[in-house]
Amino acid sequence: MTVNEDTFTNWKNREEIAESMIPVIGKLHRERDVTVLVHSRSLVNKSVVSILKTHRFARQIAGEELSVTETLPFLQALTTLDLGPSQIDIGMLAATYRTDADGLTVEEFTARAVAGATGANKIERGDGRDVVLYGFGRIGRLVARLLIEKSGSGNGLRLRAVVVRGGGDQDIVKRASLLRRDSIHGQFQGTITVDEANSTITANGNEIKVIYANDPSEVDYTAYGIKDAILIDNTGKWRDREGLSQHLRPGIDKVVLTAPGKGDVPNIVHGVNHDTIKPDERILSCASCTTNAIVPPLKAMADEYGVLRGHVETVHSFTNDQNLLDNYHSSERRGRSAPLNMVITETGAASAVAKALPDLQAKITGSSIRVPVPDVSIAILNLQLARETTREDVLDHLRHVSLTSPLKRQIDFISAPDAVSSDFIGSRHASIVDAGATKVEGDNAILYLWYDNEFGYSCQVIRVVQHVSGVEYPTYPAPVA
């Protein structure tokens, strides 16, 4: 047999193993609310090739190959345990077992590592939590996709309704079509049917009521059987407490804004300050996509090196609030054609850092340029550190943070030398450190941070909603602080 045939046979064997993993992963998700991960990347509803690629990606960040032959025994061990709702990273289990097996079998090691999710320690599955989307634009539809994807056993977040303004004939059909197909993010993974008579969209078995209203005061959510719901306002029309309080009607318990909040509305960046949310807080903001992109790595750098001052320059994809062609706009430059120009504009991300990181005394300034790409942006974070360091040390630190720290769902790391913006469409992280572009000299560090300003941000929104709803399940092995 030739070397090429050996390689192909090995690939076919790994395909077979990945194929055998799919029903196990699906059953754990549906029946026990267990999400199986590999280095923070979910394997739920993934294809054979996607599972293999997810394992392969570990080489970029961990520096060594991870094979399904290594992770399969840990997945099989999970099926023998009395697991409760949780997220379990079999990639981390395999990696840790390599270096610290402690003389245990895979079964014994796995049982010890996930003990907090088993037996008397496990979280009991609840009845789920109703969610309402107010608005159904770019972020609203992506949040809807994520909610439907994560419906699992039905005991987590349940998208019950979408509130929109009436748009004329076949309005619901057109909205369903926009959910089904997206020019940037591709096809919806599943089936969608529309019942115009009852004004419902059913997506992967999730029945979603489409409610038409011009104002929050027009909606009686209890009439649709909705109770104690979390309402996600993705219109951006109201950003202060007074305006957002209009949503607090019978059936709605909390309001989450997908834009920077004003006044005393808490701006939350999941992974950084979500644990500061007070149990009785009913209105909060998920800040902006750029704030979510820069705050986690800023915290990672401040914790390790200290930060004296910094500047962030964002090169941001164009958005729906700009014009296709030159036309009137309340903002002077944003009135110029978005697909034809680079447009200098303002960003509130730098000033929002103080809300998310109140202990950071460093002054952070910021500016932004909108460019003619439809999605994925990059933030260039220029920092003066409190001590001198090296490029190698900074990269080792950020690689470690992306793999094992409490920020591993927020910060990703890539060392590919030919990475470009479109490579990060669909990234679920708040930002991705580009190792090749990183510059460090003495006490000055410049980080290049890619981020999918649509999908990555939507994932951060979902994490905040999971947290405040009580269905944010613990991850095992536990991240290293």
Side-chain angles (χ1 to χ4, degrees):
M1 182 177 287
T2 67
V3 173
N4 285 342
E5 288 174 331
D6 283 339
T7 302
F8 184 68
T9 299
N10 178 265
W11 170 261
K12 300 302 287 185
N13 288 339
R14 286 187 288 132
E15 274 190 323
E16 185 177 0
I17 292 171
E19 194 171 63
S20 72
M21 297 171 80
I22 292 174
V24 180
I25 294 166
K27 188 173 183 180
L28 285 170
H29 186 59
R30 288 190 307 275
E31 297 183 1
R32 305 192 197 181
D33 281 328
V34 173
T35 300
V36 178
L37 313 170
V38 167
H39 287 310
S40 300
R41 288 166 167 77
S42 172
L43 297 185
V44 176
N45 293 328
K46 294 296 187 291
S47 67
V48 168
V49 172
S50 291
I51 290 173
L52 293 174
K53 286 181 68 175
T54 302
H55 281 72
R56 176 78 171 175
F57 189 82
R59 187 179 65 167
Q60 290 193 45
I61 49 180
E64 54 186 327
E65 198 77 26
L66 178 67
S67 172
V68 287
T69 59
E70 292 181 83
T71 59
L72 178 62
F74 295 94
L75 179 63
Q76 292 170 329
L78 294 178
T79 65
T80 68
L81 301 174
D82 180 25
L83 288 169
S86 56
Q87 299 187 98
I88 300 179
D89 196 322
I90 58 175
M92 287 302 299
L93 285 173
T96 308
Y97 188 74
R98 278 179 181 174
T99 59
D100 191 23
D102 210 18
L104 301 175
T105 65
V106 166
E107 292 75 18
E108 292 168 338
F109 183 85
T110 302
R112 185 177 71 176
V114 304
T118 61
N121 297 322
K122 69 181 182 183
I123 298 171
E124 292 302 322
R125 293 161 65 181
D127 295 328
R129 190 68 177 269
D130 290 351
V131 178
V132 172
L133 292 178
Y134 199 94
F136 207 46
R138 297 296 303 157
I139 298 302
R141 292 194 297 274
L142 291 178
V143 168
R145 285 189 176 200
L146 286 165
L147 288 168
I148 294 161
E149 172 194 299
K150 296 177 181 296
S151 57
S153 65
N155 295 311
L157 300 176
R158 302 177 303 194
L159 177 56
R160 297 291 308 281
V162 172
V163 183
V164 294
R165 292 180 177 178
D169 292 342
Q170 291 197 308
D171 180 272
I172 191 171
V173 173
K174 292 174 182 176
R175 293 185 189 277
S177 182
L178 286 170
L179 178 62
R180 184 181 289 115
R181 287 177 287 271
D182 190 279
S183 299
I184 296 169
H185 301 283
Q187 298 278 342
F188 173 78
Q189 296 300 304
T191 63
I192 293 175
T193 57
V194 176
D195 183 344
E196 288 188 84
N198 292 304
S199 193
T200 59
I201 297 172
T202 301
N204 291 357
N206 296 267
E207 188 174 274
I208 306 160
K209 186 72 176 179
V210 178
I211 302 170
Y212 292 99
N214 294 315
D215 187 83
S217 63
E218 297 178 10
V219 188
D220 178 6
Y221 294 100
T222 60
Y224 305 100
I226 296 169
K227 60 180 181 179
D228 298 324
I230 297 174
L231 183 144
I232 304 174
D233 184 328
N234 56 89
T235 67
K237 183 176 180 179
W238 304 280
R239 292 172 58 186
D240 59 11
R241 187 172 296 275
E242 181 182 1
L244 293 168
S245 292
Q246 298 177 74
H247 292 303
L248 293 174
R249 301 178 50 73
I252 303 299
D253 180 51
K254 295 180 185 293
V255 178
V256 174
L257 171 66
T258 64
K262 294 183 177 181
D264 66 342
V265 175
N267 279 260
I268 304 301
V269 175
H270 190 276
V272 175
N273 67 337
H274 67 276
D275 56 354
T276 65
I277 302 173
K278 298 176 182 178
D280 60 350
E281 179 59 74
R282 302 187 70 188
I283 296 175
L284 53 93
S285 156
C286 291
S288 71
C289 56
T290 302
T291 303
N292 276 265
I294 66 173
V295 167
L298 182 56
K299 174 176 169 53
M301 293 296 288
D303 287 349
E304 180 68 16
Y305 305 103
V307 172
L308 300 181
R309 65 179 58 86
H311 177 80
V312 59
E313 187 79 33
T314 69
V315 181
H316 199 291
S317 58
F318 62 75
T319 62
N320 265 335
D321 78 322
Q322 295 174 256
N323 292 331
L324 284 175
L325 296 171
D326 291 1
N327 209 346
Y328 175 81
H329 195 289
S330 57
S331 173
E332 289 87 351
R333 297 188 201 248
R334 291 197 194 189
R336 303 297 299 277
S337 172
L340 297 179
N341 295 291
M342 293 190 292
V343 179
I344 298 173
T345 187
E346 70 283 346
T347 176
S351 59
V353 168
K355 278 194 170 185
L357 286 174
D359 294 335
L360 182 70
Q361 299 302 309
K363 178 177 176 58
I364 307 294
T365 58
S367 53
S368 179
I369 302 173
R370 298 284 179 92
V371 295
V373 294
D375 187 32
V376 179
S377 305
I378 190 166
I380 305 167
L381 190 56
N382 193 332
L383 303 174
Q384 182 185 353
L385 307 178
R387 65 179 174 87
E388 293 192 354
T389 184
T390 65
R391 181 175 183 272
E392 291 73 20
D393 189 73
V394 168
L395 291 178
D396 283 345
H397 171 60
L398 293 174
R399 183 186 293 107
H400 170 76
V401 167
S402 74
L403 280 171
T404 63
S405 82
L407 290 171
K408 65 181 183 178
R409 286 200 289 169
Q410 282 71 44
I411 300 176
D412 203 1
F413 187 95
I414 188 166
S415 55
D418 57 349
V420 294
S421 62
S422 61
D423 296 331
F424 306 103
I425 293 174
S427 170
R428 294 175 182 244
H429 289 77
S431 61
I432 306 100
V433 176
D434 191 318
T438 300
K439 293 174 172 52
V440 180
E441 186 173 345
D443 63 354
N444 178 238
I446 304 174
L447 308 182
Y448 286 73
L449 309 166
W450 298 101
Y451 58 108
D452 184 329
N453 47 279
E454 293 187 334
F455 198 73
Y457 176 68
S458 296
C459 289
Q460 282 288 88
V461 172
I462 289 293
R463 291 169 189 140
V464 171
V465 174
Q466 287 176 320
H467 179 74
V468 299
S469 68
V471 296
E472 184 182 32
Y473 302 138
T475 300
Y476 298 95
V480 179

